[in-house]
Each structure stands twice: as C-alpha cells, then as structure tokens.
Amino acid sequence: MSINEGGIQLKNPYLPYPVRIDEIITETEDKNLKTFKLVFLSPEDGKGFSYTPGQFAELSVAGKGEIPIGIASSPTEKGFVKFTVNKVGAVTSHLHNMSVGDTMGIRGPLGNWYPWEEMEGKNVVIIGGGFAFTTLRSSIIYMLHPDNRSRFKDITVVYGARTPGMLLYKDELAAWEKRDDIKMHITVDGTTDPEWKYNIGFVPAITEKKITSAENAIAVVCGPPVMIKFTQPVLEKLGFPPEKIILSLEMRMKCGIGKCGRCNIGEKYVCKDGPVFSLAQLKELPPEY
Amino acid sequence: MTDKVFSKKDWVEAIKGIRASYRVFAPAREGDFHNFRPLEDETIPNFDFFNTRLSPKSVLYPQSERMFECFNDPDSPEKGILKEAAKDYTQQAIVGIRPCDAQAFHIVKRNFDNPEYIDPWWVQRFESTVLVGLGCNAPCPTCFCSSVGGGPFNEECLDVIIHDLGDKYVARGLTEKGKEFVSKTQGGNPADEKVIKEARALAAAALEKVTARLPSERLGAKAATELFNAPFWEEVAFSCINCGTCTFLCPTCWCFDIQDEVCGKQVDRIKNWDTCMSPLFTLEGSGHNPREKKFQRVRQRFMHKLKYYPDKFKNGVQCSGCGRCVRYCPVNIDIRQVAGLMNEY
C-alpha cells in the first residue's frame, strides 16, 4: 500500500495481512505448481488490498519468510485472491505442504501493472509460456468480464507449456477455447497424446504462424527468458514497435517497496517501478536482469 | 542563549548530565580506534579522533532489527500472524558525529523516507535523534567531503555543531532541536563574539585542508548504459575479493535482507544489513543470477553510488566523502579513482 494523497502512510508497508488458505489446487502433472486461493481474515484488509492485473504480492509464512508472486486472480473476482506457486525454495516448499484452513500472510499489492489505459481500444496479443501465465490469467479474466470486454478489440492468446500436463488452468483454457470473443492458440513443446487437438511447437514459432498483424495492437509477453529472447524478434518482424511490446520481469526481491536495494536494473527497481516494463523502457536501461 | 563554551572537562560532565533528557551515543576508545557507544555511567567518552572506525549508521539503522514477531502455538488462533515488535523511540542524541556521517543520514533518508513508501522504523528513529556534530580540525588525506557537497564543518545536516578550540569546545545550536539540546546542557558559559569568530576561522582553515576530490561533474550527462558498458570494469574489479568491508563501513550503504528466525515457537522477522558484494544478494530460486560475476557486483556498487542514485534523486552522489572504504579496503580500491575513470569516460 502506497502513501495516500494526504501524504499519510496508514499501514506499515512491511506488515503482511493475515489470510486463510481456502483452497489448494494442484495445477500440473509434476505436482510442482499449486494454486492457492486465499481469503482475508479481516474483510477490511480485503478492501484495502485493491489491485490491478499485472501486480504482485509478497506471500508470507511466519518462520519461513516471504516470496514475491504475481497475482493470478482478477480484481473482478471478489472475495479472494489467487496465487500459483512453483515449488523452488524454502518458502514455496513449505507453502506446498500447508493445508486448507492454515493461516499465512500476504503483503501488497506491489509493483505496477499492465498498461490498461493504453491497451483500451486496441487488439491485445497475450503471449505466455510455462508457469509465467499467472498475471496473464488475471488479465484475461479481467478483459473478458462483461464490464470490460467492450473496452478492448480482438484478444488473441498464445500460451505454451512443455507438455499438455504442464499447462496451468486447464478448465479455463478449455472454456476460453469455446468462446468467440477470445482467440486461443494453445501449444506444447511436444506430446505423445494422440488425442491432443491443439498446436505443437515452441511459443515463438506459433506466434509467428498465428499472429498476422501488429495493426493497432499491443503485445503482453510473459515467460521464461529463452522464450522472451526468441519471441521478441518475431514481434519486431511483425511490426510491433518496442513501445508496444510489454514485458513482466522477475528478480530476487525482499522488501517489495524499493528500499532493500537488490532488484535494481539501473536506477529502476523491478519491485516498485516494475515488474511491468515496455521493451522501449528496457532498452534505456543496463541489460542486467 | 543558544551558543555555549565549555571547558573540555565540563563538556564531558555536560553530556553525561544530559542523559536525563536524551539517550546519548558518544565516541569511546575501542583498542586503537574509536566507535560510538551508548553513554553509560562507566563509559569514558573520547572526542580525540579523526573519525570513528564505524559510522554511527547503526544508531538509526541497527545491523539486525526485529520487525515483527509471533508465537506459533499450534492451538492459538494467532498462530502464523505476525505482529509489530515493540520499539522504543526515546529522544536520543549522537554526540560527536562528524558532518560527513550526518550528511550520510540525509543521503539515506531519501531512500527510506520518500513520497512512495516510508520505512517507519528508520524514519521514526531519525526523527527522535539530535545530531550533535563535531567539526573536523584535521581532515585525513582520505577525506573528500568538500567535493560531494559537504565539508569538515558543514552545518547543513546537523542540529548542533561543536568546534574544538584546543582547551575548550564551542557548541552552537543550528536547528530548533539543536538549540533545545544546547539549552538543556548543564554548565558552560555563553559564547561571546570573539570565541565564535575564532571557531569560524578554524573551520575555514580546516576546509582548505581537504584537498582530495571525488570527480563527478560530468557523470550526469552520460547515459547509464554507456557507463555500464565501459571497458574498465573488469580491471577495476580485478583485485577485489568481494569481502564487503566497503559496504559494511559505508555510512550511505542501506541495502538490507529480511530473514525469519525461529526459536522454539517464537518467530522473529528480522531486517539485516546486506551487501551487494555477495553473489547471494541477487541469486534467484531458479539458479539464475543477474550479477553472478565479481565485476558485475563491483560495477553495481559504483554505478549505484555515482550514477543510479544521482539520476534517481537529483541530489548529488550517494557518498559523503568519509573515506572509510578507501582506508580499509584490503586491496586498495579507491572510489575517487573509479569516479575519475567514469567521469573521464
């Protein structure tokens, strides 16, 4: 929570809100990704946690520490917040062993968000890879909401994972496939499943094949570094200028509010000035991320 | 009456006496050097030093500080809920702080107290602290305060300034806080014009003695990406052993880590000083590390102090010229030389 217009900071920005784990969903076949649905213990805190798709929060487990995770739910989904967490280190491993009903904390919302005002009236191309699809899910749910859908033109999604079993939010992907107000291009690196009816191929290649125009469009790209590296020239070839290519970065973080000093790229902090940057902005900064 | 003259003996008594109103930190001998210590009955304050080994950074910003705590009793409804740790913000005074170290607090303040977020602990402690500075009659060869916006008698960042006139001290209140401090001291006599004139003359002479410089005047016009890609970083970093002495001693280094510590059912969330010289500072869970190599970390330290910070806050470099990193670097890396390379590039 930032300082309000009166210049008064109402809450200690390092103090997490207590939340209860309401539901845990194992997302992927390797069981390494779980989605946590969290409910604020105090409804007041829930109101204070007002976020925009693209932002993140620090998940806090007392005695283990904190981790910065993108918010996977959309502000149009009321009464809870969702995070999809990859099991990597001490905090995430502990989190994966927690149960429904347990108490933990979340601190945020933190960072900036996708440029929604700029995206209005434009064709939106969403490109995601692997488990970086979380804030993209938030964005899709947000754009598809009846209150918002008319604000955007065509919505096209390219989303890839290693195998069909590694895709996140499978039920929702299937539902979006059936809709006519969003174009889905789901892909996997490879599969032995004879029933697989979507694409096979890496995200950059599918992007090249399926996205035909950069006309009045803005691309939001979120994925592993290697995917971003090879998708970027594809988008540039399609005619997307660097200002219209939007990326969300990751970096080791602690404070989440631009104080602790570790997540800087040049003079910018990924936690506070990011995590969302346009390619044009990144080109102005030292390539250290 | 705000300005007072004390005999050196009376001054020690005066600051011992003022503990009735303030928690006092003062320099004391520790082996061959000096450090700031809480002034207790048995402490012998000693103001006869060039500068303290460590700056009083930790008085406002403890090396380890408990932020939150909770008691993880499995049966308690409070299990897993962190609460703010109790803090004591009694009025305190740092007596004998050098003007460069006081300036360092103001440099750090821009990070901890800005319109975006406020670090409540640092800011509250800053606000409850009176900075009673001791001007430098004899700056060291490693001092370069006057080229980074300061000076051996720079009054800008102090509440009180003390002039050492050989057998006596002159204490001049500079701010409301400082005037109150001086008025609360016991003993001493009002300073007359003659003694103030003498103090000012000594201060002017001291400024002349600071001849070393940190060149930075051309850094603002250069692009960060250009300096970042300059060819000299590998060479600058060649001898560095990444020991972190520079960041530890630096009064303007503020980076920190947050760690949870568990003892039985007691959980403490703790803020610790950290160092950008360590590869762990930026190591990610995936194994990726944006500053994996030594030269990248060395570059980060100098770029942060001399380019990123000035670009961000538009208020000079992130260095107060105390010279500690120059004096204590085990391999003689000198920020003034590095600034020179950057400035000339």
Side-chain angles (χ1 to χ4, degrees):
Chain A
M1 188 194 71
S2 189
I3 296 170
N4 70 15
E5 280 167 28
I8 301 159
Q9 179 173 283
L10 299 168
K11 181 180 170 288
N12 185 324
Y14 299 100
L15 182 66
Y17 295 113
V19 290
R20 190 188 70 243
I21 301 175
D22 197 48
E23 191 185 358
I24 302 174
I25 302 156
T26 303
E27 294 282 354
T28 52
E29 62 188 2
D30 67 353
K31 298 184 172 56
N32 227 39
L33 280 138
K34 287 185 179 177
T35 295
F36 295 82
K37 187 173 164 191
L38 307 174
V39 175
F40 290 91
L41 292 193
S42 145
E44 275 306 300
D45 290 349
K47 277 184 214 148
F49 193 93
S50 156
Y51 64 97
T52 307
Q55 288 192 283
F56 72 98
E58 289 277 354
L59 302 189
S60 159
V61 180
K64 291 292 166 186
E66 293 184 313
I67 35 154
I69 303 283
I71 304 171
S73 51
S74 156
T76 52
E77 299 173 295
K78 303 289 182 199
F80 61 89
V81 279
K82 269 185 180 180
F83 297 86
T84 301
V85 180
N86 188 27
K87 190 167 88 177
V88 177
V91 180
T92 52
S93 298
H94 185 89
L95 201 52
H96 269 242
N97 286 328
M98 286 177 80
S99 312
V100 169
D102 286 350
T103 305
M104 51 178 284
I106 71 173
R107 188 157 69 80
L110 300 168
N112 67 352
W113 45 85
Y114 296 123
W116 292 107
E117 279 172 26
E118 209 192 319
M119 284 153 76
E120 273 202 44
K122 291 204 174 68
N123 298 315
V124 179
V125 177
I126 301 256
I127 301 171
F131 47 82
F133 197 62
T134 57
T135 58
L136 298 181
R137 177 208 178 262
S138 169
S139 303
I140 293 168
I141 300 274
Y142 176 76
M143 288 188 290
L144 291 180
H145 191 271
D147 290 352
N148 296 328
R149 183 61 191 91
S150 60
R151 291 165 52 202
F152 307 97
K153 295 205 151 155
D154 294 351
I155 301 172
T156 313
V157 178
V158 178
Y159 172 40
R162 271 176 285 149
T163 61
M166 289 304 291
L167 289 162
L168 299 177
Y169 319 124
K170 293 178 195 69
D171 295 345
E172 285 170 332
L173 294 178
W176 296 335
E177 273 286 349
K178 295 194 185 103
R179 294 176 69 134
D180 57 6
D181 56 354
I182 179 168
K183 262 180 265 166
M184 298 293 297
H185 302 290
I186 297 166
T187 183
V188 292
D189 297 353
T191 179
T192 49
D193 178 4
E195 303 288 302
W196 179 250
K197 52 186 185 217
Y198 308 111
N199 302 287
I200 294 180
F202 294 125
V203 166
I206 301 301
T207 304
E208 194 162 15
K209 216 180 330 177
K210 302 289 183 183
I211 308 296
T212 47
S213 163
E215 185 71 32
N216 191 33
I218 193 159
V220 180
V221 186
C222 221
V226 65
M227 185 204 96
I228 292 175
K229 188 179 162 190
F230 290 104
T231 304
Q232 197 179 304
V234 170
L235 291 173
E236 285 179 308
K237 212 170 97 188
L238 278 165
F240 282 90
E243 309 78 62
K244 299 279 186 278
I245 301 176
I246 308 299
L247 301 158
S248 180
L249 302 186
E250 290 191 328
M251 197 81 123
R252 181 170 190 167
M253 293 173 189
K254 287 285 177 174
C255 72
I257 57 173
K259 304 283 183 221
C260 82
R262 75 200 57 238
C263 70
N264 74 298
I265 301 176
E267 64 168 291
K268 303 286 184 203
Y269 288 111
V270 175
C271 70
K272 180 179 67 66
D273 305 308
V276 177
F277 295 92
S278 73
L279 186 57
Q281 287 172 316
L282 288 178
K283 284 185 171 179
E284 301 283 305
L285 296 171
E288 195 173 53
Y289 45 91
Chain B
M1 183 195 70
T2 53
D3 302 347
K4 276 185 173 183
V5 189
F6 296 85
S7 76
K8 288 199 165 174
K9 191 164 151 282
D10 286 352
W11 172 247
V12 170
E13 290 311 309
I15 62 160
K16 287 209 159 181
I18 208 159
R19 287 181 299 162
S21 312
Y22 302 87
R23 181 166 45 198
V24 175
F25 293 84
R29 275 193 174 283
E30 275 183 15
D32 291 336
F33 49 89
H34 288 72
N35 267 331
F36 281 90
R37 276 208 232 140
L39 191 61
E40 314 283 357
D41 286 336
E42 65 277 12
T43 320
I44 305 166
N46 184 312
F47 295 94
D48 190 16
F49 58 89
F50 287 108
N51 204 351
T52 50
R53 174 69 60 100
L54 294 166
S55 81
K57 166 164 87 171
S58 63
V59 175
L60 298 199
Y61 180 17
Q63 194 178 343
S64 281
E65 176 170 28
R66 182 183 291 128
M67 310 165 79
F68 306 111
E69 58 187 342
C70 81
F71 192 69
N72 263 349
D73 187 334
D75 302 324
S76 163
E78 301 283 277
K79 179 179 181 271
I81 300 177
L82 291 161
K83 297 268 160 71
E84 288 201 50
K87 299 282 170 184
D88 177 5
Y89 295 110
T90 309
Q91 281 290 309
Q92 57 183 19
I94 307 178
V95 179
I97 184 173
R98 292 296 191 192
C100 56
D101 290 340
Q103 190 191 347
F105 283 142
H106 286 254
I107 289 172
V108 170
K109 188 172 186 288
R110 295 189 189 108
N111 181 57
F112 284 131
D113 184 6
N114 60 44
E116 290 165 321
Y117 290 100
I118 289 169
D119 181 298
W121 302 293
W122 193 95
V123 170
Q124 285 179 77
R125 218 170 271 113
F126 179 83
E127 283 169 357
S128 58
T129 305
V130 186
L131 300 177
V132 182
L134 175 61
C136 293
N137 285 336
C140 300
T142 46
C143 291
F144 51 96
C145 52
S146 58
S147 63
V148 289
F153 282 84
N154 179 32
E155 298 173 3
E156 253 172 78
C157 303
L158 293 170
D159 297 303
V160 177
I161 188 153
I162 305 159
H163 299 256
D164 182 345
L165 302 186
D167 57 344
K168 55 184 176 284
Y169 289 116
V170 180
R172 295 170 46 227
L174 303 168
T175 62
E176 284 311 309
K177 253 176 163 180
K179 286 172 186 168
E180 191 189 338
F181 179 91
V182 176
S183 74
K184 281 183 177 168
T185 51
Q186 300 290 313
N189 296 306
D192 58 27
E193 237 170 77
K194 187 172 154 270
V195 88
I196 296 284
K197 219 172 150 185
E198 189 186 341
R200 286 198 196 279
L202 262 178
L207 182 59
E208 295 296 311
K209 291 180 198 160
V210 182
T211 52
R213 286 188 70 248
L214 179 127
S216 64
E217 63 283 353
R218 287 155 68 180
L219 289 173
K222 294 177 206 286
T225 43
E226 257 176 63
L227 287 166
F228 182 89
N229 289 316
F232 49 70
W233 292 114
E234 293 262 16
E235 199 185 322
V236 165
F238 180 75
S239 59
C240 177
I241 53 172
N242 273 175
C243 65
T245 299
C246 49
T247 54
F248 182 76
L249 293 171
C250 179
T252 70
C253 273
W254 66 63
C255 291
F256 62 87
D257 188 16
I258 299 173
Q259 289 288 335
D260 283 15
E261 288 193 8
V262 182
C263 183
K265 289 171 186 166
Q266 174 72 25
V267 172
D268 293 309
R269 180 156 292 169
I270 296 174
K271 193 175 166 195
N272 298 308
W273 290 0
D274 206 345
T275 172
C276 58
M277 289 296 108
S278 162
L280 290 178
F281 190 63
T282 48
L283 178 64
E284 295 170 16
S286 63
H288 172 67
N289 190 346
R291 293 197 279 269
E292 187 179 29
K293 297 196 176 84
K294 178 177 78 173
F295 88 91
Q296 297 171 320
R297 300 193 286 276
V298 172
R299 174 173 61 190
Q300 161 65 17
R301 176 172 146 76
F302 290 114
M303 286 291 281
H304 188 212
K305 292 204 172 295
L306 304 173
K307 182 62 187 165
Y308 305 153
Y309 179 93
D311 281 359
K312 194 180 190 80
F313 295 108
K314 313 265 183 273
N315 227 317
V317 294
Q318 187 201 343
C319 173
S320 63
C322 75
R324 287 186 182 85
C325 60
V326 180
R327 281 200 294 287
Y328 300 113
C329 175
V331 298
N332 296 327
I333 293 174
D334 188 330
I335 190 170
R336 297 167 300 183
Q337 281 173 7
V338 180
L341 285 173
M342 292 168 71
N343 202 46
E344 291 306 312
Y345 180 63

